[in-house]
Amino acid sequence: MKLIWHGQGRTKKICFLLLFCCCLTFLCLGIVGCGKEEKPTGDITMPEDIAPNAESTSEIITDVYWDATYSMQGYTTIQQGNFYRTLPDDLGDLCGSLGEVHFYKFGEQITPLQGREHRQFSNPDAYNEVITAVGNVINQADENHITIIVTDLFESDADWSNVTQKLKEKYFSKHMGVAIIGVKNPFNGDIFDVGLNAAKFQYDSGNDANKYRPFYLFIAGPTGKIETFLAKWRERETFAGMQYVFFSEELSRDAADFSKMEIKGMDNFYSDAKLPIKDKRMVELGVSSADKPAMITASFKYEPPFGACNIDMTKLHTYVGVYVLGEDGWELSDAENDVKCDIAPSSDGDGKYDVTLKLTPEASLMADKINLLHVSAAPEGSGVLLPDWVKSWNMANYDIDANAFDGSKTINFLHVVGSLKDSMLMSAHPSLVNVNIVIDMR
């Protein structure tokens, strides 16, 4: 084919035609580009109100507060089979192996101890305080440390409701924990303020283990650090008659989220990976048909951490929230949804449970938006079961005469521990299941 040029005018027309074609091509590319999905910039993370706080992994600093009131003296007076007399050295050694350890004695006031002064608590002469103020210890405690209070859980004016309120505000509301180690120990001494008439009793257990009197290590601080302490304690201390209870947001040893859960089946959902999500606790799913029912089933293993209360799995409360990703991050949608959540024992057995979510995407999710479906399940108050030993170590604070008094039990112990449980549930909002699914409906 020949190209025949007919002067300068024809050249201008060809150049104009080429320029027009180029502009038209760029315009078309721009239109096509505007039609593509735009991925969010940066990683997609969970909303702050459902993401747990990260704990520091720094060295553990332990502050040990020793109840130096006269009622503690009786634990030192019998030498045979006495764990309490060796406890000052045991705590100094164990806590020192984890990091720094500081000792204090307290009654109404708190006094820091220097050097090896804490070893005095093995001897009866160290106990001369008359007022017990555990609340003052909580006020002073550094929440970033482990705080250990060695006490018989007596509080002057029986004001444990004030103590548990302080623990709720300082620890549970900040995703931290509280543990109690109970130890039955030989005892020969006076027990004060028993019953409504504040009677005093002399009690001698001798070396009869059935009559040993309890004392307690009351432990508060970051959950992970308490778990580390308890693990080390159990490695070293094998004294008979020890019991444990631990209150924290961690209701199961393995988190029941998608970092540990196994997806067993889906219907009208499919796995997707278009969005920048690095958090393994979240999964991204796509929807095949927005107007058809969708379902996903995942399983988890329920295994309480050491010392934690067992959960009645028939008494779980489920919360469902749908979030929408906007310019300023996640916003909780106020639209109604039809999400249903069912938690039932898995056919796999071995303590496993299946979580099944059912919904209609167009009814529950916002069209043309990136959605986050958040489902959590937590026990009702009656679904958190205190260990049996708490009840068996308890003695009600009624008018008690000499024949009814039992020095092997702690007055109002059930009330104290039950109050801690309630405070944890009300303030910390622990969850057994945390399912987070990102669904792009654009």
Side-chain angles (χ1 to χ4, degrees), residues 63-250:
D63 300 321
V64 180
Y65 293 85
W66 212 288
D67 186 345
T69 53
Y70 185 64
S71 65
M72 300 291 290
Q73 187 184 74
Y75 294 108
T76 67
T77 53
I78 298 176
Q79 294 190 18
Q80 183 178 348
N82 196 314
F83 179 80
Y84 187 84
R85 288 172 62 93
T86 65
L87 185 59
D89 284 337
D90 291 341
L91 279 176
D93 181 49
L94 189 154
C95 297
S97 71
L98 298 175
E100 292 183 29
V101 55
H102 309 282
F103 282 87
Y104 305 81
K105 76 171 185 177
F106 76 95
E108 184 176 16
Q109 305 298 323
I110 300 169
T111 304
L113 303 178
Q114 305 298 324
R116 305 294 289 169
E117 284 185 315
H118 63 278
R119 303 189 74 224
Q120 67 182 291
F121 292 120
S122 296
N123 302 314
D125 295 341
Y127 301 90
N128 50 26
E129 301 286 340
V130 294
I131 294 178
T132 307
V134 177
N136 291 344
V137 174
I138 304 302
N139 289 339
Q140 176 173 304
D142 188 325
E143 62 198 37
N144 296 311
H145 299 181
I146 290 181
T147 293
I148 300 177
I149 305 172
V150 182
T151 181
D152 57 359
L153 286 185
F154 173 82
E155 175 77 350
S156 293
D157 299 323
D159 198 11
W160 262 98
S161 60
N162 177 54
V163 175
T164 53
Q165 179 64 29
K166 291 176 183 293
L167 290 166
K168 174 183 174 181
E169 295 171 355
K170 193 158 193 172
Y171 295 99
F172 292 137
S173 66
K174 299 175 183 177
H175 311 283
M176 299 187 190
V178 174
I180 300 175
I181 301 175
V183 184
K184 287 284 189 86
N185 196 79
F187 183 95
N188 184 8
D190 292 328
I191 300 173
F192 297 88
D193 291 343
V194 176
L196 300 180
N197 294 323
K200 182 180 81 169
F201 290 92
Q202 202 285 329
Y203 184 73
D204 184 2
S205 71
N207 284 116
D208 184 348
N210 293 320
K211 294 182 178 180
Y212 285 176
R213 179 162 176 76
F215 72 88
Y216 302 91
L217 277 67
F218 202 86
I219 308 164
T223 300
K225 293 180 179 180
I226 293 177
E227 289 176 340
T228 299
F229 172 83
L230 290 177
K232 288 291 184 182
W233 173 273
R234 292 178 67 207
E235 287 178 6
R236 297 190 181 201
E237 308 302 346
T238 58
F239 186 74
M242 286 190 191
Q243 298 287 355
Y244 303 81
V245 63
F246 186 17
F247 299 106
S248 78
E249 288 186 331
E250 297 181 10

Side-chain angles (χ1 to χ4, degrees), residues 251-399:
L251 300 182
S252 185
R253 186 171 298 174
D254 287 332
D257 57 46
F258 281 116
S259 66
K260 297 289 179 66
M261 296 176 76
E262 173 192 358
I263 296 178
K264 299 178 67 174
M266 292 188 292
D267 186 18
N268 198 25
F269 280 129
Y270 60 87
S271 296
D272 209 351
K274 295 183 296 185
L275 300 173
I277 301 174
K278 294 182 179 179
D279 192 332
K280 299 300 183 182
R281 296 170 298 178
M282 299 190 294
V283 296
E284 182 185 355
L285 299 181
V287 173
S288 299
S289 299
D291 60 343
K292 294 182 179 180
M295 180 273 293
I296 179 173
T297 297
S299 66
F300 72 96
K301 184 174 182 178
Y302 169 58
E303 188 177 5
F306 174 75
C309 297
N310 284 315
I311 304 300
D312 183 344
M313 301 295 283
T314 67
K315 296 182 178 181
L316 296 178
H317 172 73
T318 302
Y319 167 80
V320 176
V322 177
Y323 293 76
V324 177
L325 189 60
E327 293 182 358
D328 298 324
W330 292 109
E331 299 175 359
L332 184 62
S333 171
D334 57 2
E336 293 186 7
N337 62 73
D338 70 345
V339 182
K340 298 292 186 293
C341 176
D342 179 64
I343 301 175
S346 173
S347 59
D348 298 333
D350 193 28
K352 289 187 176 181
Y353 288 79
D354 290 340
V355 181
T356 300
L357 304 182
K358 297 179 180 179
L359 67 150
T360 306
E362 69 176 6
S364 298
L365 308 174
M366 290 193 67
D368 302 320
K369 297 288 185 179
I370 297 175
N371 294 257
L372 171 66
L373 175 60
H374 168 69
V375 179
S376 64
E380 301 172 359
S382 60
V384 179
L385 308 177
L386 293 176
D388 291 339
W389 72 270
V390 172
K391 298 177 183 178
S392 67
W393 288 25
N394 174 70
M395 188 173 189
N397 193 27
Y398 304 135
D399 283 325

